[in-house]
Amino acid sequence: MLNSGLVLITSASYLALLFLLAFFVNRLAVNNKSRMINSPLIYTLSLTVYCTSWTFYGAVGSAARNGLEFLTIYIGPSLVFFGWWFVLRKLVRISKSHHITSIADFISSRYGKSARLAALVTIMAVIGTTPYIALQLKAVATSFNVITQVPGLPIAASSIAHSFYSDTGFWVAASMGIFLVLFGARTVGVEEHHHGVVAAIAIESLVKLFAFLAVGLFVMFSVRAPGGGNILSAIALDPALSQRFSFPDQFGPRWLTMLILSASAIICLPRQFQITVVEIANERNLQKASWLFPLYLLLISLFVIPLAVAGLTILPAGSNPDQFLLTVPMALGYEELSLLAFIGGFSSATSMMMVASMALSIMISNHLVMPLLLRLRHTELERGADFTGILLTIRRISIVAILILGYVYYRFSTGSDALASIGLIAFAASAQFLPVIIGGIFWKHGTELGAFAGLCAGFIVWAFTLLVPVFEHAGLISGILENGLAGIAFLRPEALFGATGWDPLVHSLFWSYCANIGIYVFISLTTKPGALERLQGSLFVDAFKTPFSPDVPLSGRSVRSGELVALSQRILGTAPTQKLFKEFSTRQGVSGLPEPDASLVAAVERQMAGTIGAASARIMVSRVIEGEEIGIDEMIEILDETQQVIAYSHQLEQKSQQLEETTARLRAANDQLKRIDRHKDDFLSHVSHELRTPMTSIRSFSEILLDTDGLDGEKHEQFLKIIVSESQRLTRLLDEILDINLLENDYGPWEAKSIKPSIILREAIASLDGLVQQKNVTLTDRSTASDWSTHADPDRLKQVYINILSNAIKFSDQKQPRVSIDIKVAKDSFSTIISDNGPGIAPDDQAAIFVKYQRKQPSAQGIGLGLAISKQIITRMKGSIDVRSKQGQGAVFTVTIPNIQAT
Amino acid sequence: MDKGRLKDLATLMPWVGLFLFTPPVLFLFHPGTTIFGVPLLPVYLFAMWFALILISRKLTQHLVNDATAFKAPPASPVPPNPSHKG
């Protein structure tokens, strides 16, 4: 047992530290040194306000009662954050551009800035949150009693003191009230940032993590299972435990239901929406939180199972599992650790109470009190009282009222002892907001009436199926659970429409979602949305596509700048008003007050929405303007047109990209054509030149024969011989040209039969005998006879061999010209290697020699078609021909033909 | 991986997670099986959870490089000029 004085002093100094921290952080924020506060880390830590004392103590309790089920409470939110890109990013983007102040404001803005929708959401949020705040107070009070109590005394009997001044819960609620009045309602700023509070809950989240990990590690390593192994092996030893930590009764439906509930809670709990969406300083913070927040959740749930098992193993049967975190260290004699755990639980409770009551106070002041004030005292307000002060007062009163409400609930609730069930009831209430939010950001046709009716229906079913049983257990009402509403058996709260045997939570979520979603969708499809609803709908759904801010003007025809300034000053305060109007003066290029055009009116409305909510802001601005809302239909048209223009220009961009690609391809093709054309010209000039030489000589000798009389017989005969030989050369040239043309176009004479290339090579060598003698070339033939055979045209192949060999022989410029022939026979190819020691071919020209229009040695015989023809022939045989050479060191030609079988 | 596919993957993440944590998949882990004396099911849950955290971290880092996704929308309804790259 710990001394209660010591516990009180520790808690009080902890609170005092928080006050100091909040104070200094607010100071920093005022001096614009808030970079640290806006960091992703602080953001992530502040998100963990999700882990309340319910999860702190209740997770262990839940694990001890229901096994692994507690994990869903952490896994659901993790999944939502893994998918930040999908939903959270959109929520944040929308909230930033519409100056959203709370979840009620978000829903009301989406459905045409509806005041009644905002009020409904606020009332639902208050009803759903009050038991939750009561739960925190109860957790603190109970845990205080547990660690100051003599062990063995029954705890439940004395957990609530008889007079409030000796009740821990009262003092906690009171100090929270003071803290929030000081730090939670300081300004009515446009973007609802409360740096002091955020810093405090960030520190608290570290405290609770540290406390939980400390106790968890201690238990993990100091408590042994009955068999002597680590504490977790106790699960396998006990069949009941083993069953509890695998698949207990109703596991599947409950697991899935709780996943859905917790995933929707991380978005829809009012305090969570406040921290996740409204208080976020920068959209980028989401990126880091997307994995850091799940990591925090994983760490804080890591030791839940060991703690639960340890509690069940070493504590006497019937101990309250919700207090294992305190009682296990105490039972082991480590009371300091219990104190640490108590502080951890204390900080989870206080951080939840802070944020929840702050978020609710904003909603109450903006959506319940403001509209009432506007209606009741509207003449007085228009005379010009300072609204900023009134708003702050309303918020402070709301905070105190909410905490009092929570405290009262806590004092008078004697219902279920299990923390987890109250928490889940609150989760189920907030989950009713999910359909209208998700529908609101992904579905344009949801209407205000549909959302209103859907929310009402879902909420009524929730209250009937989950709250009524709680009231009945508390003894406030009786008979409904057993006999149904008004005695109708079909309307029993835990067996609606005869659905018996379901887990109450699964049952409630199923029927409430059926009613909620069904009615929301049905009425949305059957009602026609108003102009403002349609506009807000498309602005929300297309948040990433709409490039312009929602400047949706009321008609500006009868407004005077003076009135607008007066209104803005009252709501926003003097300094922000001056800043806003000065900005517009500069933009319009006037000195003094700017013209009250549509965009100025819209800007004022938007700034005001950031303070008092969209619905109230619209009412106030429209009163000053006293015009009709004629601008909206036009605005919708403009919006549609803008989107069309964007879509169109996107298409244009794609088209122009396609065009660019096509142009590039065309240009490449054109370049190639030009190159080929140039080659053709070269070829023609070569050919003409080549043909001209024999022609000239034939002509001149013929003329001599014709003109010269008395030419002796010998000369006569010599000239005729020249003419004949030149004619033959001419014919050969023409044959070659024809030949390559035929080969290229694939309709040359082509005979295919089984041949042995080695024999053909031999024949080719033999036919070049004369040339070899004439040029005095040393021919080394290392080829051997081979049986390798293929299917090809023998004459063509011989032509190739002769061509390459004769080139090698003819172009030799050495004193001792040498040509050698080798063959390489493989299973499916036959290679002939012909090498010489001639001048060689420069690397740049090696590819060109096989191209028909290129010729490297103009002095040589022929017009250089030989290699081009050879290449064509070998290509047609599906073989290859290539050359390796270095300038001045000879050349090596390799002709490879594949093994082709006759078909 | 290109931007579009990364975004698809980011959108898919929660659904993959949901699938990995739904009862039919969890029923695969037979209660009798233990690892170091600890039942397999909690080990699977924590391990898969941690794996998803790591994947999400990696994915987010890649998405962040996509700077355009975070550019604030322009204030006026001027359609963007189709850019012509030479």
Coordinates of all heavy atoms in Angstrom, one line a residue, chain A residues 68 71 74-75 78-79 82-86 93 232-233 235 246-247 252 255-256 283 287 290-291 294-295 297-298 301-302 547-548 645 653 656-657 660, chain B residues 7 10-11 13-15 17-18 21-23 26-27 29 31 37-39 41 45-46 49-50 52-53 56-57 60 64 69-70 74-75 79 83-85:
Chain A
L68 N -7.4 -12.2 -27.2 CA -6.7 -11.3 -28.2 C -7.5 -10.1 -28.7 O -7.0 -9.2 -29.3 CB -6.2 -12.1 -29.4 CG -5.1 -13.2 -29.1 CD1 -4.9 -14.1 -30.3 CD2 -3.9 -12.5 -28.7
L71 N -6.5 -6.4 -29.2 CA -5.6 -6.0 -30.3 C -6.4 -5.2 -31.4 O -5.8 -4.3 -32.0 CB -4.9 -7.2 -30.9 CG -3.6 -7.6 -30.2 CD1 -3.1 -8.9 -30.9 CD2 -2.6 -6.5 -30.3
Y74 N -6.3 -1.5 -31.4 CA -5.0 -0.9 -31.9 C -4.8 -1.1 -33.4 O -4.2 -0.3 -34.1 CB -3.8 -1.4 -31.1 CG -3.9 -1.1 -29.6 CD1 -4.3 -2.1 -28.8 CD2 -3.6 0.1 -29.1 CE1 -4.4 -1.9 -27.4 CE2 -3.7 0.4 -27.8 CZ -4.1 -0.6 -26.9 OH -4.2 -0.4 -25.6
I75 N -5.2 -2.3 -33.9 CA -5.0 -2.6 -35.3 C -5.9 -1.8 -36.2 O -5.4 -1.3 -37.2 CB -5.1 -4.2 -35.5 CG1 -4.0 -4.9 -34.8 CG2 -5.1 -4.5 -37.0 CD1 -4.1 -6.4 -34.9
S78 N -4.4 1.5 -36.8 CA -3.2 1.3 -37.6 C -3.5 1.2 -39.1 O -2.9 1.8 -39.9 CB -2.4 0.1 -37.2 OG -2.1 0.2 -35.8
L79 N -4.6 0.4 -39.4 CA -4.9 0.2 -40.8 C -5.4 1.6 -41.4 O -5.0 1.9 -42.6 CB -6.1 -0.8 -40.9 CG -5.8 -2.2 -40.5 CD1 -7.0 -3.1 -40.7 CD2 -4.6 -2.7 -41.4
F82 N -2.2 3.4 -42.1 CA -1.5 2.8 -43.3 C -2.1 3.4 -44.6 O -1.5 3.6 -45.6 CB -1.6 1.3 -43.3 CG -0.8 0.6 -42.2 CD1 -1.2 -0.6 -41.7 CD2 0.4 1.2 -41.7 CE1 -0.5 -1.2 -40.7 CE2 1.1 0.6 -40.7 CZ 0.7 -0.6 -40.2
G83 N -3.5 3.6 -44.5 CA -4.2 4.1 -45.7 C -4.3 5.6 -45.7 O -5.3 6.2 -46.2
W84 N -3.4 6.4 -45.0 CA -3.5 7.8 -44.9 C -3.7 8.5 -46.2 O -4.5 9.5 -46.4 CB -2.3 8.4 -44.2 CG -1.0 8.3 -45.1 CD1 -0.3 7.1 -45.3 CD2 -0.4 9.3 -45.8 NE1 0.7 7.4 -46.1 CE2 0.7 8.7 -46.5 CE3 -0.7 10.6 -46.0 CZ2 1.5 9.4 -47.3 CZ3 0.2 11.3 -46.9 CH2 1.3 10.7 -47.5
W85 N -3.1 7.9 -47.3 CA -3.2 8.5 -48.6 C -4.6 8.6 -49.1 O -5.0 9.5 -49.9 CB -2.3 7.7 -49.5 CG -2.2 8.2 -50.9 CD1 -2.9 7.8 -52.0 CD2 -1.3 9.3 -51.4 NE1 -2.6 8.5 -53.1 CE2 -1.6 9.4 -52.7 CE3 -0.4 10.0 -50.8 CZ2 -0.9 10.4 -53.5 CZ3 0.3 11.0 -51.5 CH2 0.0 11.1 -52.9
F86 N -5.4 7.7 -48.6 CA -6.7 7.4 -49.2 C -7.8 8.2 -48.5 O -8.5 8.9 -49.2 CB -7.0 5.9 -48.9 CG -8.2 5.3 -49.5 CD1 -8.6 5.6 -50.8 CD2 -9.0 4.5 -48.7 CE1 -9.7 5.0 -51.3 CE2 -10.1 3.9 -49.3 CZ -10.5 4.2 -50.6
R93 N -7.0 17.8 -46.2 CA -7.0 18.8 -47.3 C -8.3 19.6 -47.3 O -8.3 20.9 -47.3 CB -6.8 18.1 -48.6 CG -6.8 19.0 -49.8 CD -5.7 19.9 -49.9 NE -4.4 19.3 -50.1 CZ -3.9 18.9 -51.3 NH1 -4.5 19.1 -52.4 NH2 -2.7 18.3 -51.3
L232 N 4.6 -16.2 -20.7 CA 3.7 -16.5 -21.8 C 3.4 -18.0 -22.0 O 2.4 -18.4 -22.5 CB 4.2 -15.9 -23.1 CG 4.1 -14.4 -23.2 CD1 4.8 -13.8 -24.4 CD2 2.6 -14.0 -23.3
S233 N 4.4 -18.8 -21.5 CA 4.2 -20.2 -21.7 C 3.1 -20.7 -20.8 O 2.6 -21.9 -20.9 CB 5.5 -21.0 -21.5 OG 6.0 -20.7 -20.2
I235 N 0.2 -19.8 -21.0 CA -1.0 -19.9 -21.8 C -1.2 -21.3 -22.3 O -2.3 -21.9 -22.2 CB -0.9 -18.9 -23.1 CG1 -0.8 -17.5 -22.6 CG2 -2.1 -19.1 -24.0 CD1 -0.5 -16.5 -23.7
S246 N -6.9 -18.0 -28.2 CA -7.0 -18.3 -29.6 C -8.3 -17.9 -30.2 O -8.5 -16.7 -30.6 CB -6.7 -19.8 -29.8 OG -7.6 -20.6 -29.0
F247 N -9.3 -18.8 -30.2 CA -10.6 -18.4 -30.8 C -11.7 -18.7 -29.9 O -12.4 -19.7 -30.0 CB -10.8 -19.2 -32.1 CG -9.6 -19.0 -33.1 CD1 -8.8 -20.1 -33.4 CD2 -9.3 -17.8 -33.7 CE1 -7.7 -20.0 -34.2 CE2 -8.3 -17.7 -34.6 CZ -7.5 -18.8 -34.8
G252 N -15.0 -14.6 -34.4 CA -15.0 -14.0 -35.7 C -15.8 -12.7 -35.8 O -15.2 -11.7 -36.2
W255 N -14.4 -9.9 -33.6 CA -13.1 -9.4 -34.0 C -13.3 -8.4 -35.2 O -12.8 -7.3 -35.2 CB -12.3 -10.6 -34.5 CG -10.9 -10.2 -35.1 CD1 -10.7 -9.9 -36.3 CD2 -9.7 -10.2 -34.3 NE1 -9.3 -9.6 -36.5 CE2 -8.7 -9.8 -35.3 CE3 -9.3 -10.4 -33.0 CZ2 -7.4 -9.7 -34.9 CZ3 -8.0 -10.3 -32.7 CH2 -7.0 -9.9 -33.6
L256 N -14.2 -8.8 -36.2 CA -14.4 -7.9 -37.3 C -15.1 -6.7 -36.9 O -14.7 -5.6 -37.3 CB -15.2 -8.7 -38.4 CG -15.0 -8.3 -39.8 CD1 -13.5 -8.4 -40.2 CD2 -15.8 -9.2 -40.7
E283 N 0.1 19.3 -43.7 CA -0.4 18.0 -44.3 C 0.8 17.0 -44.2 O 0.5 15.8 -44.1 CB -0.8 18.3 -45.7 CG -1.7 17.2 -46.2 CD -2.2 17.5 -47.6 OE1 -2.8 18.6 -47.8 OE2 -1.9 16.8 -48.6
Q287 N 2.5 12.1 -43.1 CA 3.4 11.1 -43.7 C 4.1 10.3 -42.6 O 4.1 9.1 -42.6 CB 4.4 11.8 -44.6 CG 3.8 12.5 -45.7 CD 4.8 13.5 -46.3 OE1 6.0 13.5 -45.9 NE2 4.4 14.3 -47.2
S290 N 1.9 8.2 -40.4 CA 1.3 7.0 -41.0 C 2.0 5.7 -40.6 O 1.4 4.7 -40.6 CB 1.4 7.1 -42.5 OG 2.7 6.9 -43.0
W291 N 3.3 5.8 -40.2 CA 3.9 4.6 -39.6 C 4.3 4.7 -38.2 O 4.3 3.8 -37.4 CB 5.1 4.2 -40.5 CG 6.2 5.2 -40.6 CD1 6.3 6.2 -41.5 CD2 7.3 5.3 -39.7 NE1 7.4 6.9 -41.2 CE2 8.0 6.5 -40.1 CE3 7.7 4.6 -38.6 CZ2 9.2 6.9 -39.5 CZ3 8.9 5.1 -37.9 CH2 9.6 6.2 -38.4
P294 N 1.1 3.9 -35.8 CA 1.0 2.4 -35.6 C 2.1 1.8 -34.8 O 1.8 0.9 -34.0 CB 1.0 1.9 -37.0 CG 0.5 3.0 -37.9 CD 1.0 4.2 -37.2
L295 N 3.3 2.4 -34.9 CA 4.4 1.8 -34.1 C 4.2 2.1 -32.6 O 4.4 1.2 -31.8 CB 5.7 2.4 -34.6 CG 7.0 1.9 -33.9 CD1 7.2 0.4 -34.4 CD2 8.2 2.7 -34.3
L297 N 1.3 2.4 -31.2 CA 0.2 1.5 -30.8 C 0.8 0.1 -30.6 O 0.4 -0.6 -29.6 CB -0.9 1.4 -31.8 CG -1.7 2.8 -32.0 CD1 -2.7 2.6 -33.1 CD2 -2.3 3.2 -30.7
L298 N 1.7 -0.4 -31.5 CA 2.2 -1.7 -31.3 C 3.0 -1.8 -30.0 O 2.9 -2.8 -29.3 CB 3.1 -2.0 -32.5 CG 3.7 -3.4 -32.6 CD1 3.7 -3.9 -34.0 CD2 5.1 -3.5 -32.1
S301 N 0.9 -2.0 -26.9 CA 0.1 -3.2 -26.7 C 1.0 -4.5 -26.6 O 0.5 -5.6 -26.4 CB -0.9 -3.4 -27.9 OG -0.2 -3.4 -29.1
L302 N 2.3 -4.2 -26.7 CA 3.3 -5.4 -26.7 C 3.2 -6.2 -25.4 O 3.2 -7.4 -25.5 CB 4.7 -4.8 -26.9 CG 5.7 -5.7 -27.5 CD1 5.2 -6.3 -28.8 CD2 7.0 -5.0 -27.7
P547 N -9.0 23.3 -58.4 CA -7.8 24.1 -58.2 C -8.1 25.5 -57.5 O -7.2 26.2 -57.2 CB -7.3 24.4 -59.6 CG -8.5 24.4 -60.4 CD -9.5 23.5 -59.8
F548 N -9.4 25.8 -57.3 CA -9.6 27.1 -56.7 C -10.3 27.0 -55.4 O -11.1 26.1 -55.1 CB -10.2 28.1 -57.7 CG -11.7 27.9 -57.9 CD1 -12.6 28.8 -57.4 CD2 -12.1 26.9 -58.8 CE1 -13.9 28.7 -57.7 CE2 -13.5 26.8 -59.0 CZ -14.4 27.7 -58.5
V645 N -12.3 22.4 -68.3 CA -11.2 23.0 -68.9 C -9.9 22.2 -68.5 O -9.1 21.9 -69.3 CB -11.1 24.5 -68.5 CG1 -9.7 25.0 -68.9 CG2 -12.1 25.3 -69.2
E653 N -2.7 18.0 -73.5 CA -1.3 17.8 -73.1 C -0.9 16.4 -73.6 O 0.2 16.2 -74.2 CB -1.1 17.9 -71.6 CG 0.3 18.2 -71.2 CD 0.3 18.5 -69.7 OE1 -0.7 19.0 -69.2 OE2 1.4 18.4 -69.1
S656 N -0.6 16.3 -77.3 CA 0.6 17.0 -77.8 C 1.9 16.1 -77.6 O 2.8 16.1 -78.3 CB 0.8 18.4 -77.2 OG 1.4 18.3 -76.0
Q657 N 1.8 15.4 -76.4 CA 2.9 14.5 -76.2 C 3.0 13.4 -77.3 O 4.0 13.1 -77.8 CB 2.8 13.8 -74.8 CG 3.6 14.5 -73.7 CD 3.3 13.9 -72.4 OE1 2.7 12.9 -72.3 NE2 3.8 14.6 -71.4
E660 N 4.4 14.8 -80.3 CA 5.8 14.9 -80.3 C 6.5 13.6 -80.6 O 7.5 13.6 -81.4 CB 6.2 15.4 -78.9 CG 6.2 16.9 -78.7 CD 6.3 17.3 -77.3 OE1 7.0 16.6 -76.5 OE2 5.8 18.4 -76.9
Chain B
K7 N 0.9 5.2 -55.8 CA -0.4 5.7 -55.2 C -1.4 4.6 -55.1 O -2.1 4.5 -54.1 CB -1.0 6.8 -56.1 CG -0.2 8.1 -55.9 CD -0.8 9.2 -56.8 CE 0.1 10.4 -56.8 NZ -0.3 11.4 -57.8
A10 N -0.5 2.6 -52.1 CA -0.8 3.3 -50.9 C -2.3 3.2 -50.6 O -2.7 3.1 -49.5 CB -0.4 4.8 -51.0
T11 N -3.1 3.2 -51.7 CA -4.5 3.1 -51.5 C -4.9 1.7 -51.0 O -5.8 1.4 -50.3 CB -5.3 3.4 -52.8 OG1 -4.8 4.7 -53.2 CG2 -6.7 3.6 -52.5
M13 N -3.0 -0.4 -49.3 CA -2.4 -0.8 -48.0 C -3.4 -1.2 -47.0 O -3.3 -2.3 -46.4 CB -1.5 0.3 -47.5 CG 0.0 0.2 -47.9 SD 0.8 -1.3 -47.3 CE 1.1 -0.8 -45.6
P14 N -4.4 -0.3 -46.6 CA -5.3 -0.7 -45.5 C -6.1 -2.0 -45.9 O -6.4 -2.8 -45.0 CB -6.2 0.5 -45.4 CG -6.1 1.3 -46.6 CD -4.7 1.0 -47.1
W15 N -6.4 -2.2 -47.1 CA -7.2 -3.3 -47.5 C -6.4 -4.6 -47.4 O -6.9 -5.6 -47.0 CB -7.8 -3.2 -48.9 CG -8.5 -1.9 -49.1 CD1 -8.2 -0.8 -49.8 CD2 -9.8 -1.5 -48.4 NE1 -9.1 0.2 -49.6 CE2 -10.0 -0.2 -48.8 CE3 -10.6 -2.2 -47.5 CZ2 -11.2 0.5 -48.3 CZ3 -11.7 -1.5 -47.1 CH2 -12.0 -0.2 -47.5
G17 N -4.0 -4.9 -45.3 CA -3.9 -5.1 -43.9 C -5.2 -5.8 -43.3 O -5.1 -6.7 -42.6
L18 N -6.3 -5.2 -43.8 CA -7.6 -5.8 -43.3 C -7.7 -7.3 -43.6 O -8.1 -8.1 -42.8 CB -8.7 -5.0 -43.9 CG -10.1 -5.4 -43.4 CD1 -10.2 -5.0 -42.0 CD2 -11.2 -4.7 -44.2
F21 N -5.7 -9.5 -41.4 CA -6.2 -9.5 -40.0 C -7.6 -10.0 -39.9 O -8.3 -9.7 -38.9 CB -6.0 -8.2 -39.3 CG -4.5 -7.8 -39.1 CD1 -4.1 -6.5 -39.5 CD2 -3.7 -8.7 -38.5 CE1 -2.8 -6.2 -39.3 CE2 -2.3 -8.3 -38.4 CZ -1.9 -7.1 -38.7
T22 N -8.2 -10.6 -41.0 CA -9.6 -11.0 -40.9 C -9.6 -12.5 -40.4 O -8.7 -13.2 -40.6 CB -10.3 -10.9 -42.2 OG1 -9.5 -11.3 -43.2 CG2 -10.8 -9.5 -42.5
P23 N -10.7 -12.8 -39.7 CA -10.8 -14.1 -39.1 C -10.5 -15.3 -40.0 O -9.7 -16.2 -39.6 CB -12.3 -14.2 -38.6 CG -12.6 -12.8 -38.3 CD -11.8 -11.9 -39.3
L26 N -6.9 -15.6 -40.0 CA -6.4 -15.9 -38.6 C -6.7 -17.4 -38.2 O -6.0 -18.0 -37.5 CB -7.1 -15.0 -37.6 CG -6.8 -13.5 -37.8 CD1 -7.4 -12.7 -36.7 CD2 -5.4 -13.2 -37.9
F27 N -7.8 -17.9 -38.8 CA -8.2 -19.3 -38.4 C -7.1 -20.3 -38.9 O -7.1 -21.5 -38.5 CB -9.5 -19.7 -39.0 CG -10.7 -19.1 -38.2 CD1 -11.8 -18.6 -38.8 CD2 -10.6 -19.0 -36.8 CE1 -12.9 -18.0 -38.1 CE2 -11.7 -18.4 -36.1 CZ -12.8 -17.9 -36.8
F29 N -4.2 -20.2 -38.1 CA -3.2 -20.4 -37.1 C -3.8 -21.3 -36.0 O -4.5 -20.8 -35.1 CB -2.6 -19.1 -36.5 CG -1.9 -18.4 -37.6 CD1 -2.6 -17.5 -38.4 CD2 -0.6 -18.6 -37.8 CE1 -2.0 -16.8 -39.4 CE2 0.1 -17.9 -38.8 CZ -0.6 -17.1 -39.6
P31 N -4.7 -23.3 -32.8 CA -4.4 -22.9 -31.4 C -3.3 -23.7 -30.8 O -2.6 -23.3 -29.9 CB -5.7 -23.2 -30.7 CG -6.8 -23.1 -31.7 CD -6.1 -23.5 -33.0
G37 N 7.0 -21.6 -26.7 CA 6.0 -21.6 -25.7 C 4.9 -20.6 -25.9 O 3.9 -20.6 -25.1
V38 N 5.0 -19.7 -26.8 CA 4.0 -18.7 -27.1 C 3.1 -19.2 -28.2 O 3.6 -19.6 -29.2 CB 4.6 -17.3 -27.5 CG1 3.6 -16.3 -27.6 CG2 5.7 -17.0 -26.4
P39 N 1.8 -19.1 -28.1 CA 0.9 -19.5 -29.2 C 1.2 -18.7 -30.5 O 1.6 -17.5 -30.4 CB -0.5 -19.2 -28.7 CG -0.4 -19.1 -27.2 CD 1.0 -18.7 -26.9
L41 N -0.7 -17.6 -32.9 CA -1.5 -16.5 -33.4 C -1.1 -15.1 -33.0 O -0.9 -14.2 -33.8 CB -3.0 -16.8 -33.0 CG -4.0 -15.7 -33.4 CD1 -4.1 -15.7 -35.0 CD2 -5.4 -16.1 -32.9
L45 N 0.2 -12.0 -35.4 CA -0.4 -10.7 -35.4 C 0.6 -9.6 -35.2 O 0.7 -8.6 -36.0 CB -1.5 -10.6 -34.3 CG -2.8 -11.4 -34.5 CD1 -3.6 -11.5 -33.3 CD2 -3.5 -10.8 -35.7
F46 N 1.5 -9.8 -34.2 CA 2.5 -8.7 -34.0 C 3.5 -8.6 -35.1 O 3.9 -7.5 -35.5 CB 3.2 -9.0 -32.6 CG 2.4 -8.5 -31.4 CD1 1.7 -9.3 -30.6 CD2 2.4 -7.1 -31.2 CE1 1.0 -8.8 -29.5 CE2 1.7 -6.6 -30.1 CZ 1.0 -7.5 -29.3
W49 N 1.9 -7.0 -38.1 CA 1.7 -5.6 -37.8 C 3.0 -4.8 -38.0 O 3.0 -3.8 -38.7 CB 1.2 -5.5 -36.4 CG 0.6 -4.3 -35.9 CD1 0.5 -3.1 -36.6 CD2 0.1 -4.0 -34.6 NE1 -0.1 -2.2 -35.9 CE2 -0.4 -2.7 -34.6 CE3 0.0 -4.7 -33.4 CZ2 -0.9 -2.1 -33.5 CZ3 -0.6 -4.2 -32.3 CH2 -1.0 -2.8 -32.3
F50 N 4.1 -5.4 -37.5 CA 5.3 -4.7 -37.6 C 5.8 -4.7 -39.0 O 6.3 -3.6 -39.5 CB 6.4 -5.5 -36.7 CG 7.7 -4.7 -36.6 CD1 7.7 -3.5 -35.9 CD2 8.8 -5.2 -37.1 CE1 8.9 -2.8 -35.8 CE2 10.0 -4.5 -37.0 CZ 10.0 -3.3 -36.3
L52 N 3.9 -4.5 -41.6 CA 3.1 -3.5 -42.3 C 3.6 -2.1 -42.0 O 3.6 -1.2 -42.8 CB 1.6 -3.6 -41.9 CG 0.9 -4.7 -42.6 CD1 -0.5 -4.9 -42.0 CD2 0.8 -4.5 -44.1
I53 N 4.1 -1.9 -40.7 CA 4.6 -0.6 -40.3 C 5.9 -0.3 -41.2 O 6.0 0.8 -41.7 CB 5.0 -0.6 -38.8 CG1 3.7 -0.6 -38.0 CG2 5.8 0.6 -38.5 CD1 3.9 -0.8 -36.5
S56 N 4.8 0.4 -44.8 CA 4.2 1.8 -44.8 C 5.2 2.9 -44.8 O 5.1 3.9 -45.5 CB 3.2 1.9 -43.7 OG 2.6 3.2 -43.7
R57 N 6.3 2.7 -44.0 CA 7.3 3.7 -43.9 C 8.1 3.8 -45.2 O 8.3 4.9 -45.7 CB 8.3 3.2 -42.8 CG 9.4 4.2 -42.6 CD 10.3 3.9 -41.5 NE 11.3 5.0 -41.5 CZ 12.5 4.8 -41.1 NH1 12.8 3.8 -40.5 NH2 13.3 5.8 -41.2
T60 N 5.8 5.4 -47.8 CA 5.6 6.9 -47.6 C 6.8 7.6 -48.0 O 6.7 8.7 -48.6 CB 5.3 7.1 -46.1 OG1 4.2 6.3 -45.7 CG2 5.0 8.6 -45.8
V64 N 6.7 10.6 -50.7 CA 7.1 12.0 -50.3 C 7.9 12.6 -51.4 O 7.9 13.8 -51.7 CB 7.8 12.0 -49.0 CG1 8.4 13.3 -48.7 CG2 6.9 11.5 -47.9
A69 N 2.4 16.1 -55.2 CA 1.3 15.7 -54.5 C 0.9 16.7 -53.3 O -0.2 16.7 -52.8 CB 1.4 14.3 -53.9
F70 N 1.9 17.4 -52.9 CA 1.7 18.2 -51.7 C 1.7 19.7 -52.0 O 1.7 20.6 -51.2 CB 2.8 17.9 -50.6 CG 2.7 16.5 -50.2 CD1 3.5 15.6 -50.7 CD2 1.7 16.2 -49.3 CE1 3.4 14.3 -50.3 CE2 1.6 14.9 -48.9 CZ 2.5 13.9 -49.4
P74 N -3.5 26.1 -56.6 CA -3.4 27.5 -56.9 C -4.7 28.2 -56.5 O -5.8 27.6 -56.4 CB -3.2 27.5 -58.4 CG -3.7 26.2 -58.9 CD -3.5 25.2 -57.7
A75 N -4.6 29.5 -56.2 CA -5.7 30.2 -55.6 C -6.8 30.6 -56.6 O -7.9 30.9 -56.3 CB -5.2 31.5 -54.9
P79 N -6.6 27.5 -65.6 CA -6.2 26.2 -66.0 C -4.7 26.1 -66.3 O -4.2 27.1 -66.8 CB -7.0 25.9 -67.3 CG -7.4 27.3 -67.8 CD -7.4 28.2 -66.6
S83 N 2.2 22.0 -71.1 CA 3.6 22.4 -71.3 C 4.1 21.7 -72.6 O 3.8 20.5 -72.8 CB 4.4 22.0 -70.1 OG 4.3 20.6 -69.9
H84 N 4.8 22.4 -73.4 CA 5.4 21.8 -74.6 C 6.9 21.6 -74.4 O 7.6 22.5 -74.3 CB 5.1 22.6 -75.8 CG 3.7 22.6 -76.2 ND1 3.1 21.6 -76.8 CD2 2.7 23.5 -76.0 CE1 1.8 21.8 -77.0 NE2 1.6 23.0 -76.5
K85 N 7.2 20.4 -74.3 CA 8.7 20.1 -74.1 C 9.3 20.0 -75.5 O 8.8 19.3 -76.3 CB 8.9 18.9 -73.3 CG 8.7 19.1 -71.8 CD 8.3 17.9 -71.1 CE 6.9 17.8 -70.8 NZ 6.4 16.5 -70.5

